[in-house]
Amino acid sequence: MNDNTTATHTPPDWTVIGTRECPHCGRALDVRRIDVAGRTIESVETCPDCEAERDLRATRLAVQCRIQETRDRCGAHYASIYASAGFARYRIEDRNRRAFEASRALVDSMVDRSLGGPRLLLLYGPAAAGKTLLAYAALNTAMRRGVRGAVVRAVSLVEAYADERFRRWLLAWPRLLLIDDAGKEDLGGYLREDYQAALFEIVDRYYAAPGRGLIVTTELPLGRLLARYPDIRDALRWRMREMSAGGAAIRIGGRP
Ligand SMILES: [Zn+2]
């Protein structure tokens, strides 16, 4: 869905504070800064020229080991019902048809970047609506087709994210990331500011990099979900509106 034809992938709410040469090819990359949730985040944009090469290198890593590490650190419960989830076994009804089609289009876009389908998908619906099953069907299908996938539970995100090594890995390694059950994080007593800054950084990074996908599941409709993150609401809405424009903000299940 990224039809941005400029050289940079820096969204407009970042301030570009300089440039840095890519250590591999010398291309000038934006160094950018944003103040969000009481924290200043600085990052260098991903080098589009070297991205493919980095992909190849990362694929040679012990893929299964890394995925296991994500599960361990983020408490991602990969129950057998989810491990075997796939599109073929998903029961399609009128209420979830759009979500199903969007999920399948997202996986196709992960495998073939030229398709330009939705890349950031918000799956929302009440408990037991099947949104997590659908998200795992997408993740499993993508992984079987060679896409590096990872899953984190929203309630465990901040704790894991505080580990700098894990943070860097989460921002760089997965091509498709599933954040399961967003909107309930403060029930675990985590610091909301930290959570918001972490969530913003992840959404922004996945939004800005072509060829990467993000699926967020939540029981909250978009307005209520954003209300949980007051410090980053506008920054998220800017990106989530882009998701809607691509037909990717999907409600499944019963009433919102
Ligand atoms: Zn480069």
Side-chain angles (χ1 to χ4, degrees), residues 1-254:
M1 196 183 69
N2 195 311
D3 54 7
N4 185 352
T5 52
T6 60
T8 172
H9 300 116
T10 298
D13 50 359
W14 286 85
T15 304
V16 176
I17 57 173
T19 59
R20 186 176 301 170
E21 279 189 6
C22 171
H24 306 290
C25 70
R27 180 189 173 115
L29 304 172
D30 283 351
V31 180
R32 52 197 206 156
R33 172 189 294 158
I34 195 167
D35 294 311
V36 62
R39 234 171 62 177
T40 298
I41 297 174
E42 267 188 34
S43 75
V44 183
E45 73 164 318
T46 307
C47 178
D49 296 334
C50 297
E51 195 182 23
E53 191 200 334
R54 265 197 306 274
D55 273 4
L56 264 178
R57 271 206 309 273
T59 307
R60 293 193 201 108
L61 295 174
V63 172
Q64 209 52 43
C65 166
R66 290 301 190 116
I67 292 166
Q68 188 60 49
E69 182 182 19
T70 322
R71 291 175 196 170
D72 293 347
R73 282 171 180 269
C74 294
H77 52 96
Y78 215 90
S80 57
I81 182 175
Y82 295 134
S84 63
F87 289 134
R89 304 175 64 168
Y90 196 78
R91 190 169 154 207
I92 307 164
E93 301 166 16
D94 282 345
R95 66 184 177 89
N96 60 23
R97 191 175 306 276
R98 275 187 69 222
F100 178 84
E101 296 298 341
S103 300
R104 215 167 49 177
L106 179 141
V107 172
D108 289 342
S109 298
M110 295 294 97
V111 175
D112 180 355
R113 296 187 192 188
S114 68
L115 290 178
R119 293 191 297 112
L120 291 90
L121 193 60
L122 180 71
L123 294 175
Y124 63 101
K131 55 191 180 301
T132 297
L133 195 61
L134 180 57
Y136 272 87
L139 187 74
N140 291 343
T141 304
M143 286 167 64
R144 278 182 214 117
R145 293 169 72 181
V147 174
R148 301 195 305 271
V151 52
V152 297
R153 286 173 68 207
V155 290
S156 308
L157 183 59
V158 172
E159 197 178 31
Y161 210 71
D163 180 334
E164 178 60 21
R165 191 172 139 263
F166 179 78
R167 172 183 161 270
R168 284 204 308 268
W169 176 83
L170 191 70
L171 290 176
W173 187 82
R175 305 300 307 176
L176 178 57
L177 176 65
L178 165 58
I179 299 178
D180 195 22
D181 218 6
K184 291 178 175 174
E185 301 85 0
D186 54 349
L187 294 182
Y190 297 112
L191 294 174
R192 288 186 65 118
E193 270 193 5
D194 278 10
Y195 186 83
Q196 292 180 66
L199 186 68
F200 169 79
E201 188 166 52
I202 292 167
V203 170
D204 184 74
R205 189 68 67 92
Y206 279 77
Y207 174 85
R212 300 182 78 183
L214 176 69
I215 301 175
V216 179
T217 70
T218 177
E219 289 183 13
L220 302 176
L222 184 60
R224 280 181 60 203
L225 183 69
L226 291 177
R228 303 299 285 272
Y229 315 126
D231 297 340
I232 58 171
R233 185 175 48 213
D234 293 341
L236 287 187
R237 185 180 283 135
W238 188 85
R239 287 158 182 76
M240 288 184 165
R241 194 183 299 141
E242 294 297 307
M243 295 184 216
S244 300
I250 300 293
R251 174 181 149 252
I252 64 174

